[in-house]
Structures are given as structure tokens and as C-alpha cells.
Amino acid sequence: MEPPRGGRRPCSGNPWTWVRDWVRSSPGTHIWLLVIGITSLVIASASEGLGQFLVHRTSSNIHQLNEHPLPSLLISGFWIERPASFLLYVVMFELLHANVERWTGTTRWLLSVGGAHIAATLASQELVLLAIEGHRLPRSMTHVVDIGVSYGLAAAAGMLTYRLLPPWRYGYLAGVLVFFGIPLLTGATFTDFGHAIALTMGFAAWPLTPAAAEGLSSEEEEEDGRDPAEPAAERPPGRDPDSRQER
């Protein structure tokens, strides 16, 4: 039987096969989701007092960063404060993280969103510390609950901009800027600043995308008739990506 042209896999008529292939193509995203699901069940089944203890103990606030810097930075990204929001996060992970991971590969995806989570957490808590020292916030804010996965999602949203082709890219970009920009301009909290930092780092992760690595623009990839997520080795013969000078 003749292999599929252009390196594309044939679409399976079995939905379970499609789901299995989708999960296998973005393992990091789904492992992360699995852990969040487990921690959400723990919070939902815990007593109110135990639940409050857990979210404070796993927060990356100033107190925890001083006491347990590395664990608090990492663990805080695996908890959400409201377990009822888990299904919403499932949708967001599939739309953002899974698509970025499939496109860039697990390692580059993890470097991008993990780095953004850490940088946004540290920067936003530094803003809290400066506000406390300037007597603009109470000292109790050193124990503020700061957990969640939204910084990583903001970084993935920024990276996904480069995955879309014009004119969809411009509409998506405008929507992302409005979504994160309005809270920042209207009474921003430290979390809003963290989102802005993570989003900016997602935009700055262009060099980690396949198009940048090959020296191609998204428009050139479209002309090749190849999905940007496909490996360079499967490019039709006679097209040398290294010979291109323009992006």
C-alpha cells in the first residue's frame, strides 16, 4: 500500500484510537492534568481546615519561598484552589498546552511553560514584597495563597500565536492581548502582573518553535503544503530550509 503523502498520518475512524494518539503526542500535558486531577480530588474530599492548610502549604508565596524555595515553586503548579474548575482547566490544557507540546516537542514546551511559571511567580511575589515594604499591602500578604497553573497557560497562549497562520493569527493575538490586558489596566493584582510576564515569555519563546529552528516563516510553511508540526526530514525533496534567508 502506498504510504500517505506529505508525511501525514491517515485519520483513524476509531475515536478511541484518535484519543490514544492525541494523548501520546502530548504526554507532558496529560501527565500534568492527571496530577492536577488527583490534587483536586484531595482538596475536594478534605475538610475545610485541611484544605486551607494544603493550599497555603503548597503556595509559592513569600513565606514559602523563603522557607522552601524550590519545592514551593514546583509544587504550586500542580494545585488549583477550586476543584470545581478542573473541567475548565482540562479544556484549556487541551486547547493550549497540548497543541503547543505537539508542535514544539515535550522538552521545548516544558522549558517554555516551566520557565514562565517560575519567572512569573518570582517576579509577582517580588512585587508583593515591594508593596509590603512600601506599606501599600499588609504583612499578611506574605502568606497569600499563590497556587495554580495559569502562568503556564499564559505562556502557552503566547507561544500558540506562532502556530496559527494569518489572518487567524492576528485575531487570536488581539483576543489574547485583550484577555490579559484588561485586568492589567484595571486594578491589576500581583497575579495579573504574573500573567503579563508569563505571556511575554511565551511571545519571546519564538526561537524554540519549529518554524524558527528551520528558518521558515509560517507563510513559507503553508506554501510547502506541510503542517508546521511535522519534522523537517519529511519536507518534500529539493527544498533546502537552510538556504532560506527571509522569515
Side-chain angles (χ1 to χ4, degrees):
M1 183 174 64
E2 183 181 358
R5 296 182 178 180
R8 298 179 184 272
R9 292 184 178 180
C11 181
S12 172
N14 188 336
W16 294 110
T17 301
W18 184 89
V19 170
R20 181 197 64 193
D21 292 343
W22 175 265
V23 172
R24 285 181 175 178
S25 68
S26 49
T29 296
H30 293 93
I31 291 173
W32 194 356
L33 264 179
L34 176 62
V35 177
I36 294 171
I38 293 172
T39 58
S40 296
L41 285 175
V42 170
I43 291 291
S45 59
S47 64
E48 183 177 354
L50 178 58
Q52 287 298 314
F53 169 79
L54 288 173
V55 297
H56 280 86
R57 182 64 179 81
T58 56
S59 288
S60 51
N61 53 39
I62 295 172
H63 174 75
Q64 292 297 332
L65 286 173
N66 285 331
E67 295 292 327
H68 316 283
L70 188 58
S72 65
L73 278 173
L74 298 179
I75 295 173
S76 63
F78 292 96
W79 295 76
I80 56 177
E81 192 172 1
R82 291 182 293 275
S85 303
F86 176 68
L87 290 180
L88 173 61
Y89 284 113
V90 170
V91 174
M92 298 303 294
F93 267 58
E94 298 296 350
L95 290 176
L96 298 175
H97 281 310
N99 278 296
V100 172
E101 184 181 1
R102 292 179 79 242
W103 182 43
T104 64
T106 300
T107 300
R108 292 180 178 182
W109 162 79
L110 185 59
L111 285 173
S112 302
V113 301
H117 169 78
I118 291 173
T121 298
L122 293 175
S124 61
Q125 288 302 312
E126 180 65 23
L127 289 174
V128 173
L129 179 61
L130 291 174
I132 291 173
E133 292 176 346
H135 306 289
R136 295 186 299 276
L137 286 176
R139 289 206 166 269
S140 60
M141 286 292 290
T142 58
H143 295 271
V144 68
V145 173
D146 186 24
I147 61 173
V149 299
S150 58
Y151 293 160
L153 284 169
M159 290 187 72
L160 194 60
T161 304
Y162 303 117
R163 180 69 174 88
L164 303 175
L165 296 176
W168 307 107
R169 175 184 297 169
Y170 309 126
Y172 171 82
L173 176 60
V176 167
L177 292 176
V178 168
F179 181 83
F180 289 104
I182 289 179
L184 190 65
L185 298 174
T186 56
T189 65
F190 73 91
T191 304
D192 297 324
F193 280 107
H195 288 153
I197 293 167
L199 180 65
T200 302
M201 292 190 67
F203 290 144
W206 154 258
L208 296 178
T209 63
E214 297 169 14
L216 292 172
S217 69
S218 297
E219 290 83 354
E220 289 170 318
E221 287 178 326
E222 186 180 31
E223 291 173 2
D224 285 340
R226 182 177 65 87
D227 190 315
E230 293 174 4
E234 296 175 349
R235 179 178 300 279
R239 304 294 297 274
D240 182 7
D242 294 331
S243 65
R244 298 178 183 268
Q245 299 299 319
E246 297 181 2
R247 291 189 178 181

